[in-house]
Amino acid sequence: MMTNKPDGTLYIGVTNDLVRRVHEHRTHAVKGFTDRYNLERLVWFEPHDSPTEAIRREKALKSWNRAWKVDLIETANPGWRDLWDEIIGSSPTMTEGVAR
């Protein structure tokens, strides 16, 4: 989930390359919702073993009410800190071409 500030606008998406996709959001490389609302802060994510499972979970989360989404974020990330450094530090091969 991406946001612009603690308890701000939320975006939920699915990707096969989290580092690349978050970098695109942070640099406004792709025009759309995240660019329009300046959603540059990754505050929650979860890996999945298959694209089918990831898409199923994305659709489920998008149907949740906002309070449930906020609870999910705050359980794992109570300060709504940006997880960018965590994801680029966890997989050096995934960060090739991504400016730190």
Side-chain angles (χ1 to χ4, degrees):
M1 278 189 240
M2 301 288 297
T3 191
N4 53 353
K5 61 185 178 181
D7 204 29
T9 302
L10 294 176
Y11 169 79
I12 297 173
V14 65
T15 182
N16 64 353
D17 186 338
L18 184 60
V19 170
R20 175 192 50 79
R21 191 67 179 120
V22 172
H23 182 260
E24 290 171 353
H25 290 309
R26 291 171 65 90
T27 61
H28 301 264
V30 177
K31 301 305 174 201
F33 186 83
T34 59
D35 176 57
R36 185 171 34 255
Y37 292 96
N38 201 33
L39 308 182
E40 299 177 352
R41 182 186 298 209
L42 176 70
V43 291
W44 185 86
F45 67 93
E46 64 183 34
H48 292 278
D49 292 330
S50 73
T52 302
E53 179 61 21
I55 292 166
R56 184 201 62 76
R57 178 66 165 161
E58 175 197 25
K59 288 178 180 180
L61 290 172
K62 284 182 174 183
S63 73
W64 285 16
N65 69 48
R66 180 177 173 81
W68 297 350
K69 295 171 192 174
V70 168
D71 285 346
L72 182 64
I73 293 165
E74 290 184 345
T75 297
N77 186 2
W80 292 66
R81 66 182 166 68
D82 187 355
L83 303 175
W84 172 250
D85 287 338
E86 181 178 319
I87 66 168
I88 64 169
S90 66
S91 183
T93 59
M94 292 178 63
T95 62
E96 186 175 313
V98 175
R100 288 186 180 206

